[in-house]
Amino acid sequence: MDAISDAMFCSPKQSAPRKRIKGFYTDWQKVHLNDICSRVTRKNTNGRCYSVLTIAAQYGLVSQLEFFNKSVASENLEGYYLLQKGDFAYNKSYSSEYTCGAVKRLDRYEEGVLSPLYICFRPDPSKVDSDYLAYYFESKKWHREIMDISVEGARNHGLLNISVIDYFNTIHRIPNIEEQRAIAKVIKTIIHKMSSEQTILDCYVKQRTFLLQQMFI
């Protein structure tokens, strides 16, 4: 998927990606993140939700109980952010796989709570397609902006030193909403095709293993 993302998205310094969907020709526009998304700061007041979330590279925003088989959050969840399905969260923790941190969308549950260490936001559906944005943040086209605002040498305990204001002022290139939806549809189709092919391959491998075992009984 890295090659596909690299071809279908562009960085702020590019006016358009290398690969365009037929019928779209206009240059992509520069926007700040706060032009297309609004910050989510709603708190989990009165203990409304007890499902504590974490970001897992492969699964996105998942329940700590599901991922760790236990909750590693504090007992008092009043200060945690209450996320609803469709909200995004940016984890400033970096790793070899996510050198600039990870952005994931809440897809698996209707709601959940997240530590205030995360930066949470929700896209404006009139300006940006949610699926497009989710796929965009799986690319590396936004990394340069993060690298430019993270203070060198100020990384603490695996966290990038990025302020909320600076994060929402990052610049991105996006096409019009119709092209966004078209791109999301193409990528979704490719992912579905890859998943189907992997399932078929796994079945062939199991079949081969079974047949080989039968030959040597």
Side-chain angles (χ1 to χ4, degrees):
M1 284 301 299
D2 284 349
I4 295 171
S5 296
D6 187 64
M8 298 194 74
F9 297 106
C10 65
S11 66
K13 292 184 178 181
Q14 300 170 299
S15 59
R18 289 189 292 109
K19 295 291 184 181
R20 300 291 295 273
I21 295 175
K22 187 176 180 180
F24 297 101
Y25 308 103
T26 57
D27 288 350
W28 289 19
Q29 61 177 331
K30 278 185 179 181
V31 296
H32 292 94
L33 186 63
N34 58 18
D35 293 328
I36 58 174
C37 298
S38 57
R39 189 182 178 196
V40 172
T41 58
R42 72 178 78 87
K43 294 297 180 69
N44 184 43
T45 54
N46 301 320
R48 169 175 166 174
C49 181
Y50 293 95
S51 177
V52 182
L53 304 173
T54 189
I55 285 185
Q58 185 177 358
Y59 304 106
L61 279 164
V62 296
S63 164
Q64 286 189 356
L65 286 174
E66 184 178 331
F67 191 69
F68 296 118
N69 292 320
K70 65 178 181 179
S71 177
V72 296
S74 62
E75 292 185 9
N76 185 358
L77 303 177
E78 293 281 325
Y80 277 52
Y81 293 140
L82 177 65
L83 267 61
Q84 297 175 343
K85 195 170 187 177
D87 289 342
F88 285 72
Y90 172 51
N91 182 3
K92 295 187 288 183
S93 296
Y94 61 91
S95 63
S96 57
E97 187 175 1
Y98 289 94
T99 55
C100 291
V103 178
K104 300 291 182 179
R105 182 178 62 183
L106 181 57
D107 292 325
R108 299 166 71 94
Y109 323 103
E110 290 302 318
E111 62 181 16
V113 297
L114 199 59
S115 164
L117 291 174
Y118 292 76
I119 298 176
C120 305
F121 56 95
R122 190 173 190 86
D124 181 341
S126 68
K127 298 177 180 178
V128 63
D129 180 75
S130 182
D131 288 338
Y132 168 86
L133 198 63
Y135 292 134
Y136 168 71
F137 279 120
E138 290 299 317
S139 77
K140 297 180 179 178
K141 294 299 184 177
W142 54 280
H143 285 192
R144 182 74 259 172
E145 284 289 293
I146 296 299
M147 293 170 67
D148 287 345
I149 63 174
S150 59
V151 180
E152 182 149 1
R155 297 183 175 189
N156 251 335
H157 306 293
L159 290 175
L160 292 168
N161 187 22
I162 299 170
S163 73
V164 172
I165 293 175
D166 285 344
Y167 181 71
F168 279 100
N169 277 330
T170 54
I171 300 172
H172 308 268
R173 283 269 189 180
I174 63 170
N176 61 48
I177 196 75
E178 290 80 13
E179 188 172 0
Q180 291 176 35
R181 290 169 181 155
I183 290 170
K185 184 177 180 180
V186 167
I187 294 178
K188 187 179 295 184
T189 301
I190 292 172
I191 291 174
H192 178 72
K193 176 66 172 177
M194 290 172 63
S195 177
S196 298
E197 294 295 331
Q198 185 62 53
T199 299
I200 293 171
L201 177 60
D202 292 342
C203 289
Y204 278 131
V205 170
K206 289 179 181 179
Q207 183 182 52
R208 177 178 178 273
T209 302
F210 173 78
L211 292 173
L212 286 173
Q213 289 172 343
Q214 298 307 304
M215 288 175 61
F216 295 102
I217 289 178

